[in-house]
Amino acid sequence: MAEESTPTVSDETLSPVGRFSLTARILAVNILPLALLGGGLFYIDSYRNQLIDERFKLARIEAQITAEALAGATRERQEALLVQIGKEQGMRLRMFDAEGQLWADSFALDEPAFEFDDISDDTWDQQFARWMDRTVDAIVSSEPVTDFVEPEGQTADAWPELIAAREEAVSQINLYDWVDGTPVITAAAPVGLNGATLLTVRNAVDITATVRSARSTLVTAVLLVLFASAMLSLYLARTIVTPLRQLSRAAVKVRQGRERDVEVPRLPERNDEIGLLARAVSDMTGTLRQRIDAVDSFAADVAHEIKNPLASLRSAVESLPKVTDPDTRRELEQIANHDVRRIDRLVTEISDASRIDAEMSRATREVIDMADLVRAIAGNREYRAENRNHRIELNTVGFAAKVVGVGARLERVVENLFDNAVSFSPPEAPIEVTIDNDGNCVMLTVCDSGPGIPEASREKVFQRFHSVRPEREDFGNHSGLGLAIARAIAEAHDGSLIAEARPDGKQGACLKLTLPAA
């Protein structure tokens, strides 16, 4: 019997609308936090640079405005301005005379407007913040900044920015780094035209505080994303592991054979790789069961078919020594010879039937003209007198009937169809053969004038060992495998073989072979 086809899984289910593959989901879950962290770090570094650039502009403007205010003012007024501006802006202002000597210092004139942080008594969170600053600077490859060190000599020549301001007569800005990681911005500007200079120093702790606050927000967001990523990863792992465990348990049961009807989950609700795997395993299991059932059934049929001629042969052989009548001995010898030929025929047919799949997978296919093949087979049968005075009438329709296949196997199909038609056709009735090609398929139809095949039995004739022969034929001359082998070969060529009534309404049967056109 032809095996029922098992639904196959299409590759199109890999990318359905609204679904993502496991690969995409795993990458998204794991890359998202890293992408957020990396992007945030570079953004915060850019943000810090923008703040420093803005503060540079402000320091330049402040130095220039203060220098203009100091120019021409009395000493008392200059000292008052240094103290006032230093307190209001949180800066240290120093004024040097034309000889570069320190003339006035806002920190000496009044209480300091700010103090540098002493890191020796920092708490653990401040130490961690400085470590984070250094780590981020290393990650984003920030340019190194010179450490701020207060010069021992209180002269203008100890400050590079003052030297440049005196030589170029324009304000100068420099960036330094205090030991706690906060930026120190200095600005130098000439005061008046007599060579005096002004130096401002600001510890921009607000920039560091702002950047650290933004970084804390980023770290909090990353931690939340990491938590969500971990939860999603666990969920994703569960969506992968759970069905795989189900498939594994089902596969173990199938392998052990403990349960005949083990239900392999198909997971129809999943259109990802897991669902594809589940349906593939389910289809494979169903196909294996069909193959096993077919093998079991075939083995049982083989045993049954061989047992009958063996029993007859055994009876004839056991009876020969006991029989003295020459005629009876001759009949027993004929029976034994007949049974030996029948067994030989059965073994040959069974061997061919069991080798079809393996041979078809290894055979080299070629383009074959079915009309030429049928003519050659008909001529050879006529020469060997295998048609029993039945004339084979060939009619070709449509395009050239060319297919891609294994010539020896297709020849076997045509031979079996002719054998079947000759067996059932009345004496001297023609065998009508039609070959049609509609551009997609080549149809070979062999019609006889025999009793026909009832509609309810048209599938049974393709079952293995199903043999209903005409009364005029000797018993045992056919194995019942001819049409089963022919259908197997047709299906191995991606074609089909069916039985149907004659299209002209006359008595008889038609066997129709359909193959893809070349």
Side-chain angles (χ1 to χ4, degrees), residues 39 47 126 132 212 222 333 352 417 438 445 472 488:
Y47 176 58
Q126 292 173 321
M132 283 293 298
R212 287 178 178 174
V222 170
E333 290 173 355
D352 286 346
L417 297 183
D438 61 4
T445 306
R472 64 179 178 272

Side-chain angles (χ1 to χ4, degrees), residues 364-442:
T364 301
R365 304 195 179 200
E366 56 186 355
V367 177
I368 299 170
D369 191 316
M370 291 299 294
D372 292 343
L373 180 66
V374 169
R375 292 190 187 97
I377 294 173
N380 291 334
R381 291 177 63 89
E382 187 70 27
Y383 176 77
R384 297 192 301 266
E386 293 178 352
N387 293 331
R388 303 179 190 173
N389 297 324
H390 293 286
R391 187 177 68 261
I392 296 179
E393 298 178 353
L394 176 61
N395 180 32
T396 58
V397 183
F399 302 98
K402 294 184 178 181
V403 300
V404 177
V406 182
R409 284 301 176 183
L410 292 178
E411 181 179 349
R412 178 66 180 276
V413 174
V414 176
E415 287 277 8
N416 288 356
L417 297 183
F418 283 173
D419 285 341
N420 185 81
V422 168
S423 296
F424 285 96
S425 291
E428 299 185 358
I431 307 297
E432 300 174 16
V433 180
T434 303
I435 300 179
D436 187 8
N437 183 4
D438 61 4
N440 295 320
C441 295
V442 173

Side-chain angles (χ1 to χ4, degrees), residues 130-418:
R130 288 199 304 274
W131 177 81
M132 283 293 298
D133 291 339
R134 292 192 297 270
T135 302
V136 172
D137 288 342
I139 293 175
V140 300
S141 301
S142 296
E143 295 183 3
V145 180
T146 305
D147 293 336
F148 180 79
V149 179
E150 189 73 30
E152 295 182 358
Q154 295 295 324
T155 61
D157 294 337
W159 300 90
E161 49 268 53
L162 282 175
I163 296 173
R166 292 172 64 182
E167 293 177 350
E168 300 177 15
V170 294
S171 58
Q172 303 290 328
I173 308 295
N174 266 0
L175 175 65
Y176 297 95
D177 186 25
W178 183 239
V179 291
D180 65 349
T182 56
V184 177
I185 301 175
T186 63
V191 179
L193 302 176
N194 58 359
T197 52
L198 171 69
L199 176 69
T200 65
V201 178
R202 172 186 277 114
N203 185 201
V205 294
D206 57 324
I207 293 179
T208 302
T210 301
V211 171
R212 287 178 178 174
S213 175
R215 187 180 297 139
S216 298
T217 303
L218 173 65
V219 170
T220 302
V222 170
L223 290 176
L224 291 175
V225 173
L226 283 174
F227 175 78
S229 176
M231 294 298 101
L232 288 174
S233 297
L234 291 175
Y235 168 73
L236 184 59
R238 182 177 300 175
T239 62
I240 296 174
V241 172
T242 300
L244 287 181
R245 285 177 177 172
Q246 294 176 353
L247 291 175
S248 177
R249 287 194 293 266
V252 170
K253 290 180 180 179
V254 171
R255 177 178 61 84
Q256 294 175 342
R258 294 180 179 178
E259 299 183 24
R260 179 62 185 83
D261 297 325
V262 178
E263 184 66 27
V264 178
R266 294 183 61 84
L267 305 179
E269 73 282 359
R270 297 191 60 151
N271 288 324
D272 54 16
E273 292 87 344
I274 296 294
L276 177 65
L277 174 63
R279 289 183 284 279
V281 172
S282 178
D283 294 339
M284 179 186 68
T285 303
T287 302
L288 286 175
R289 285 174 181 161
Q290 291 182 358
R291 290 291 180 91
I292 292 172
D293 291 343
V295 169
D296 291 343
S297 176
F298 185 55
D301 291 340
V302 167
H304 179 268
E305 291 296 323
I306 293 182
K307 186 176 181 180
N308 290 334
L310 279 178
S312 175
L313 177 61
R314 178 181 179 181
S315 176
V317 172
E318 290 178 349
S319 300
L320 275 173
K322 303 175 184 179
V323 175
T324 58
D325 181 62
D327 294 336
T328 305
R329 288 182 63 87
R330 191 178 302 107
E331 290 179 3
L332 290 175
E333 290 173 355
Q334 291 176 353
I335 292 174
N337 289 332
H338 180 272
D339 290 335
V340 169
R341 289 194 299 272
R342 182 182 174 191
I343 293 174
D344 180 68
R345 187 183 307 109
L346 276 171
V347 171
T348 301
E349 296 284 353
I350 291 168
S351 177
D352 286 346
S354 62
R355 290 201 309 264
I356 289 176
D357 291 338
E359 289 185 358
M360 289 298 300
S361 64
R362 296 191 301 265
T364 301
R365 304 195 179 200
E366 56 186 355
V367 177
I368 299 170
D369 191 316
M370 291 299 294
D372 292 343
L373 180 66
V374 169
R375 292 190 187 97
I377 294 173
N380 291 334
R381 291 177 63 89
E382 187 70 27
Y383 176 77
R384 297 192 301 266
E386 293 178 352
N387 293 331
R388 303 179 190 173
N389 297 324
H390 293 286
R391 187 177 68 261
I392 296 179
E393 298 178 353
L394 176 61
N395 180 32
T396 58
V397 183
F399 302 98
K402 294 184 178 181
V403 300
V404 177
V406 182
R409 284 301 176 183
L410 292 178
E411 181 179 349
R412 178 66 180 276
V413 174
V414 176
E415 287 277 8
N416 288 356
L417 297 183
F418 283 173

